[in-house]
Amino acid sequence: MSVPAAADPPRWVRNLKVTTAEQTHALGAALAEVLRAGDLLVLTGELGAGKTTFTQGLGEGLGVREGIISPTFVLVRIHPNLPDGPNPGGPDLVHVDAYRLGSASEIDDIDLENTLDSSVTVVEWGRDRVEHLSDSRLEVELHRSTGNGAVGAAVGARETDGVLDFDAEDDDEPRTIIIRGFGPRWADQPVLNLASEGIS
């Protein structure tokens, strides 16, 4: 398999605006409807941008076990598909936090190849670290309107049990979410069912 370089241009780019945590969650759930085993997603965004909220939506849409939190301190969490859930027989969700990993070789050390083909793999902070794992990927970039793009800019976020998430008073703070498709799997932009969520 020929794996494209990280610098290869995306096949398409979609910009979306959300104004609440619920919409971020709903976008993740809508995207899950078009995902299948073997798909790789790379999430980027400053602290408090909504990466975990988005991934929780993905997990709900995929029908995996609840309890998705940031995997920061364990690097990888596997959320198995629920046989009695909304998507029985669907893929598991592998949730990775690559923030403390400095290179692609450190990614290789955690053996994602063992689960990549049978799961949907979501890697936070994975840009320039995981592109070699697959010839196709989705990059999802989340931006807070008050964030400065730096890791320490957690204005409006709260920390609960080590998990940064939306603060209630900032639920209406707009976010921009940019989705880019790379490789043959994402040659065409997927149709997402977003009309009922008010996401544009």
Side-chain angles (χ1 to χ4, degrees):
M1 161 172 67
S2 173
V3 177
D8 284 355
R11 303 289 183 103
W12 49 266
V13 179
R14 183 162 184 190
N15 289 277
L16 298 159
K17 300 285 187 185
V18 298
T19 56
T20 65
E22 289 76 17
Q23 285 185 334
T24 301
H25 186 279
L27 176 57
L31 185 59
E33 293 178 8
V34 301
L35 297 178
R36 64 186 188 212
D39 285 339
L40 173 66
L41 284 76
V42 180
L43 266 58
T44 305
E46 65 264 31
L47 294 178
K51 295 186 299 298
T52 299
T53 300
F54 178 85
T55 306
Q56 288 167 345
L58 274 177
E60 181 180 294
L62 291 171
V64 303
R65 185 181 62 203
E66 293 183 0
I68 293 174
I69 61 172
S70 174
T72 299
F73 300 106
V74 296
L75 297 181
V76 180
R77 291 186 189 274
I78 299 176
H79 300 273
N81 180 269
L82 297 173
D84 58 348
N87 187 25
D92 297 341
L93 174 65
V94 175
H95 188 197
V96 182
D97 189 318
Y99 180 68
R100 289 178 171 79
L101 302 178
S103 66
S105 63
E106 289 184 67
I107 288 286
D108 291 341
D109 289 342
I110 60 177
D111 291 329
L112 290 179
E113 291 88 350
N114 291 333
T115 58
L116 201 61
D117 290 341
S118 61
S119 305
V120 169
T121 303
V122 176
V123 185
E124 296 188 23
W125 308 103
R127 184 173 289 163
D128 298 326
R129 294 178 177 92
V130 300
E131 289 82 1
H132 67 288
L133 293 176
S134 175
D135 61 356
S136 299
R137 69 187 183 280
L138 287 179
E139 290 189 359
V140 181
E141 210 173 292
L142 299 96
H143 298 279
R144 300 176 63 225
S145 62
T146 60
N148 66 3
V151 169
V155 179
R158 68 168 182 220
E159 190 164 348
T160 307
D161 298 329
V163 180
L164 279 157
D165 209 342
F166 288 93
D167 188 272
E169 67 183 5
D170 289 320
D171 277 359
D172 292 332
E173 177 190 326
R175 265 91 169 156
T176 300
I177 300 179
I178 304 167
I179 304 175
R180 297 178 179 91
F182 292 84
R185 162 77 171 103
W186 301 109
D188 297 316
Q189 185 176 152
V191 176
L192 303 181
N193 182 17
L194 300 174
S196 64
E197 304 299 336
I199 300 171
S200 59

